[in-house]
Amino acid sequence: MSEAAETLRVLVFSSDRTVREQVRFALGRRVARDLPELEVVEVATGPALLRTLDAGTDYALVIMDGDAQPHGGFGLAHQIKEEYANCPPVLLLITRVADAWLGTWSRAEALAPHPIDPVALPAQVADLLRSARVAS
């Protein structure tokens, strides 16, 4: 099997480089022993997110910052769920519990709190990746 086939790509979107860095560090190279290594790709703007998805690379998961500026993760999550036929699962980072309804509206598969919990986030990502692998 090729190295590329053994790697799961995760796309991380946030306008804040510290959020992207926190996600990357929390995930590390592998979130679970039973899953392949991760390749984390970071984008900082809404247009960059869409260009990256348009490029046709397969992503196992998209992690989006709900508070990204000026293009918020909630609206972009909703947009990609509507516009991409084979959209990967989306995990939204939310700062306020009251924004959970926006996560439902956006059609995200999961919500995670921000600030990032470096123990809970990898476990949640592993569950999403396992579910996506079973579904495909």
Side-chain angles (χ1 to χ4, degrees):
M1 204 182 275
S2 73
E3 174 103 9
E6 297 175 3
T7 302
L8 295 174
R9 287 184 187 87
V10 176
L11 182 57
V12 178
F13 161 71
S14 177
S15 57
D16 183 339
R17 89 174 158 73
T18 61
V19 171
R20 296 190 311 269
E21 183 176 85
Q22 290 168 5
V23 170
R24 188 170 23 86
F25 285 144
L27 298 183
R29 293 185 47 84
R30 178 172 271 153
V31 290
R33 295 176 73 107
D34 63 319
L35 292 169
E37 286 191 5
L38 300 179
E39 175 186 344
V40 176
V41 176
E42 300 177 29
V43 293
T45 67
L49 171 76
L50 299 176
R51 279 193 308 275
T52 301
L53 290 172
D54 286 343
T57 302
D58 286 332
Y59 288 93
L61 178 67
V62 179
I63 299 176
M64 304 178 79
D65 180 358
D67 290 337
Q69 296 295 325
H71 302 99
F74 295 105
L76 283 169
H78 184 78
Q79 180 179 348
I80 66 173
K81 288 296 188 176
E82 291 290 319
E83 294 179 2
Y84 292 85
N86 296 317
C87 186
V90 171
L91 182 145
L92 269 170
L93 301 173
I94 63 170
T95 305
R96 296 166 297 279
V97 174
D99 287 341
W101 73 272
L102 281 169
T104 301
W105 169 81
S106 72
R107 298 176 45 204
E109 280 76 8
L111 304 174
H114 188 267
I116 291 164
D117 180 330
V119 174
L121 184 66
Q124 191 173 17
V125 166
D127 289 343
L128 284 168
L129 293 172
R130 286 186 196 106
S131 295
R133 291 180 76 165
V134 168
S136 56

